[in-house]
Amino acid sequence: MAIEQTQTLPAPVLSKALETYVNQLPPLMGQKIDTTKYDPQVAGRTQLQTDAYTAAGGLGSLVGPDAYKDFMSPYQKEVMDVTLSEFDRQQAINQQGLRDSAIGAGAYGGGREGVQLAEYMNQGATNRAGLQAQLLNQGFQQAQAAAQQDMQARQGLGSYMDQMGQGLQGYEQAKLDAGTLAAREAQYEPYTRLGLVGQQLAQIQPGAFPTTTIGYQQSAAPASPMASFLGGAIGGGGILGKLGIFGNA
């Protein structure tokens, strides 16, 4: 029995595109993506950040009871020496005045003069100690204020350096991220390209390109030698027919 088949073929240009597309799929199916090519990276600290952190570690010397020492004025001792020397000079002048008064009163060398002189010297020593303490305290307060101002200035500078460093670090991180993204896209490029092509091929509407319809009929299978022999033998002219086995033809 003959078999009739009809096959509709796409346009040659579309058929070639589909064949090319399908042939590229098997190699990618067995290909492993190298994820190490786009491992995430973190930008390191900038030099500004490192310097800011190092400077922050040195702020400890600007606090505590000894913070003022590095900020004592180099001229304070000179000022103190000059001030105390002037005080001593005035004391000596006043002492001489007391002696002169005692001599004028005829009491020089007496007990009264000795008591007055001793009281004056004791009071002078007290005043001198008070003046010295005042000068020291004034220098201490000034040094403490200078230490605090220096610490605030360093803190402000450190914050500014850290902010600048963070900005530079962010910029470096953005470059690393862009490089990672580019490397990832490079690894996925073959799959992305085939995916986009596949989408375009899938969206082609039937009939967009001319098609070719082919019909053909399959011939019946040839008879076997035995069947041919039997057909000829059964006929009236055949051997079996002449013998009358199957009747006369």
Side-chain angles (χ1 to χ4, degrees):
M1 179 179 178
I3 301 176
E4 294 185 356
Q5 290 185 349
T6 302
Q7 184 177 8
T8 301
L9 301 177
V13 63
L14 183 58
S15 177
K16 184 176 180 180
L18 290 173
E19 182 180 358
T20 302
Y21 175 78
V22 173
N23 289 338
Q24 294 186 43
L25 292 177
L28 289 180
M29 294 171 62
Q31 180 177 337
K32 184 178 179 180
I33 298 177
D34 188 2
T35 59
T36 61
K37 298 295 185 181
Y38 54 89
D39 283 342
Q41 301 182 53
V42 178
R45 288 180 177 177
T46 64
Q47 188 61 46
L48 283 173
Q49 288 175 303
T50 301
D51 293 343
Y53 296 151
T54 301
L59 294 179
S61 61
L62 300 180
V63 295
D66 296 331
Y68 73 96
K69 290 184 178 180
D70 292 336
F71 297 88
M72 293 292 290
S73 171
Y75 304 103
Q76 182 179 1
K77 187 176 185 304
E78 296 181 10
V79 173
M80 184 181 301
D81 291 342
V82 170
T83 302
L84 293 177
S85 295
E86 179 62 21
F87 180 87
D88 294 339
R89 190 178 72 83
Q90 292 296 330
Q91 282 289 98
I93 293 174
N94 293 333
Q95 288 179 11
Q96 186 61 43
L98 289 176
R99 291 191 181 93
D100 292 342
S101 297
I103 292 173
Y108 180 74
R112 183 178 178 183
E113 185 239 348
V115 172
Q116 288 180 344
L117 184 59
E119 290 180 354
Y120 179 78
M121 293 180 65
N122 289 337
Q123 186 62 44
T126 301
N127 293 339
R128 190 180 192 280
L131 177 60
Q132 185 178 16
Q134 181 181 356
L135 292 172
L136 290 173
N137 182 67
Q138 182 178 355
F140 171 77
Q141 295 296 335
Q142 292 176 349
Q144 281 285 74
Q148 292 177 359
Q149 291 175 358
D150 186 66
M151 182 175 65
Q152 292 173 357
R154 293 193 189 186
Q155 287 175 336
L157 179 60
S159 298
Y160 177 74
M161 292 172 59
D162 187 49
Q163 291 175 2
M164 291 288 292
Q166 288 179 5
L168 292 175
Q169 186 183 35
Y171 174 71
E172 294 298 327
Q173 184 64 54
K175 291 197 300 183
L176 290 176
D177 292 343
T180 299
L181 181 60
R184 182 180 183 277
E185 291 298 321
Q187 290 293 311
Y188 279 89
E189 188 278 333
Y191 304 92
T192 303
R193 173 164 39 84
L194 289 182
L196 294 175
V197 173
Q199 291 177 4
Q200 297 301 317
L201 292 177
Q203 292 176 4
I204 296 177
Q205 299 295 329
F209 294 94
T211 58
T212 302
T213 302
I214 300 176
Y216 62 92
Q217 183 176 5
Q218 183 175 352
S219 301
S224 64
M226 181 59 70
S228 299
F229 171 76
L230 290 176
I234 292 174
I239 298 174
L240 296 180
K242 291 181 179 180
L243 293 176
I245 297 177
F246 293 99
N248 293 326

